[in-house]
């Protein structure tokens, strides 16, 4: 698949011994490079019927997703209310040709604030859970590289299904394995000076400290994940059991 960081979230066991089914919930990067053959595979073999794009309007305009015949496409930014330049949350464009320590610290701070805020009052994630409950076709959600906004979403989906927190963190960190081969090439394409490449790795992959910011923010505000999902996503115990029934076996 000509899609960065593409995978299905499956095989994890929840606290009741239920296992996430294969090929129902997919995550990854933008679909601007996929071929028509891959698009057909998405719709006909994987039965993807909903594509949820977490990028902002500027990002989607710069790299539009491939059009689909049957799958419904929606774009809802998963990061709102933060100031950024015309490149949105696309760090590859932000750091292109202009990386230095000052720029790195600015982007790193921006990224951390995003991780603290994304789980709350987020229309993109609310829509994701609505589609999961709707259960009328498999779902693909993505951002630019499929690691930050998509990573938080994947973590929340797993927690809603009653998965172990450490398993959900581990799934989030898999992005480093899926992105590893392209990081050096990407750094070259972005003209990041050699002396700053190691410094920039946290921006081109994921770090456990980042997702821990999300976890700590949830736990600081709510007494439990049950309370969090009920208040933030209107997922009471009945709806979460319904999700488990749909996506686990």
């Amino acid at each position: 698949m000509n899609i960065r960081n593409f995978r299905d979230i499956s095989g994890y066991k929840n606290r009741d011994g239920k296992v996430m089914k294969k090929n129902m919930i997919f995550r990854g990067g933008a679909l601007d490079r996929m071929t028509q053959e891959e698009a057909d595979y998405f719709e006909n073999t994987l039965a993807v019927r909903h594509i949820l794009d977490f990028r902002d309007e500027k990002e989607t305009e710069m790299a539009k997703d491939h059009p689909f015949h049957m799958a419904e496409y929606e774009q809802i930014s998963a990061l709102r209310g933060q100031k950024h330049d015309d490149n949105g949350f696309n760090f590859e464009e932000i750091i292109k040709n202009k990386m230095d320590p000052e720029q790195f610290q600015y982007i790193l701070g921006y990224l951390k604030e995003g991780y603290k805020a994304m789980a709350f009052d987020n229309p993109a994630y609310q829509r994701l859970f609505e589609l999961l409950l709707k259960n009328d076709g498999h779902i693909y959600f993505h951002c630019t590289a499929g690691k930050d906004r998509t990573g938080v979403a994947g973590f929340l989906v797993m927690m809603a299904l009653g998965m172990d927190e450490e398993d959900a963190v581990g799934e989030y960190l898999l992005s480093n394995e899926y992105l590893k081969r392209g990081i050096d090439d990407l750094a070259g394409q972005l003209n990041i000076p050699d002396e700053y490449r190691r410094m920039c790795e946290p921006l081109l992959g994921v770090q456990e400290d980042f997702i821990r910011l999300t976890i700590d923010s949830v736990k600081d505000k709510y007494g439990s994940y049950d309370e969090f999902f009920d208040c933030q996503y209107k997922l009471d115990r009945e709806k979460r059991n319904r999700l488990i029934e749909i996506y686990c076996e």
Side-chain angles (χ1 to χ4, degrees):
M1 300 290 285
N2 193 27
I3 306 167
R4 189 182 304 174
N5 203 9
F6 172 77
R7 61 190 184 272
D8 75 295
I9 310 176
S10 65
Y12 297 98
K13 184 182 294 185
N14 72 8
R15 56 177 175 264
D16 297 322
K18 301 286 187 179
V19 178
M20 287 186 73
K21 298 176 183 177
K22 292 183 178 179
N23 296 334
M24 294 191 74
I25 303 173
F26 302 92
R27 55 167 290 180
L31 303 178
D32 58 308
R33 302 175 186 175
M34 75 185 317
T35 65
Q36 184 58 51
E37 182 179 5
E38 290 169 337
D40 292 341
Y41 178 80
F42 242 54
E43 293 189 307
N44 299 324
T45 303
L46 300 182
V48 172
R49 291 294 177 266
H50 295 283
I51 296 168
L52 191 52
D53 187 344
F54 293 147
R55 298 175 296 171
D56 64 26
E57 292 181 0
K58 181 65 177 180
E59 289 174 275
T60 58
E61 191 63 31
M62 290 191 295
K64 292 182 179 180
D65 276 4
H66 192 285
F68 289 84
H69 298 299
M70 294 178 286
E72 293 185 2
Y73 169 87
E74 294 181 67
Q75 178 268 318
I76 309 175
S77 175
L79 190 69
R80 309 166 83 85
Q82 287 186 267
K83 294 180 179 179
H84 52 70
D85 66 16
D86 288 342
N87 294 306
F89 200 66
N90 186 349
F91 292 130
E92 294 175 13
E93 289 298 323
I94 294 173
I95 67 180
K96 190 173 185 179
N97 298 319
K98 56 179 180 180
M99 176 51 66
D100 57 33
E102 182 178 353
Q103 180 76 345
F104 170 78
Q105 289 301 325
Y106 163 76
I107 298 172
L108 186 63
Y110 180 87
L111 182 63
K112 288 180 176 180
E113 288 306 309
Y115 271 91
K116 292 176 184 177
M118 275 190 280
F120 309 107
D121 301 316
N122 194 323
Y125 295 167
Q126 289 166 358
R127 181 57 176 157
L128 173 60
F129 283 112
E130 288 174 1
L131 291 173
L132 289 170
L133 279 169
K134 190 176 180 182
N135 187 31
D136 64 347
H138 301 168
I139 293 174
Y140 179 72
F141 56 90
H142 76 87
C143 50
T144 296
K147 63 186 186 70
D148 298 306
R149 290 161 289 187
T150 298
V152 172
F155 174 85
L156 294 179
V157 167
M158 289 185 64
M159 297 312 298
L161 294 174
M163 301 297 158
D164 181 78
E165 188 178 89
E166 293 309 307
D167 283 345
V169 170
E171 207 291 326
Y172 163 84
L173 291 172
L174 280 179
S175 287
N176 286 332
E177 297 299 319
Y178 281 81
L179 293 167
K180 182 185 296 183
R181 287 181 296 178
I183 284 180
D184 288 340
D185 289 340
L186 179 59
Q189 292 170 17
L190 297 175
N191 297 318
I192 299 174
D194 289 342
E195 63 268 29
Y196 296 140
R197 287 195 182 189
R198 182 171 295 276
M199 178 182 72
C200 291
E201 285 181 4
L203 306 180
L204 302 176
V206 294
Q207 305 291 318
E208 184 171 341
D209 288 349
F210 295 163
I211 195 64
R212 295 290 176 191
L213 292 173
T214 300
I215 294 170
D216 291 344
S217 296
V218 169
K219 292 181 176 179
D220 286 346
K221 190 168 184 177
Y222 294 99
S224 66
Y225 282 108
D226 289 342
E227 183 183 356
F228 164 74
F229 283 114
D230 197 359
C231 293
Q232 284 291 325
Y233 297 98
K234 298 180 180 178
L235 292 175
D236 57 19
R237 175 49 55 187
E238 181 180 354
K239 288 181 179 178
R240 288 181 66 193
N241 284 340
R242 175 60 180 152
L243 286 173
I244 292 171
E245 181 182 320
I246 297 168
Y247 297 102
C248 299
E249 57 188 1

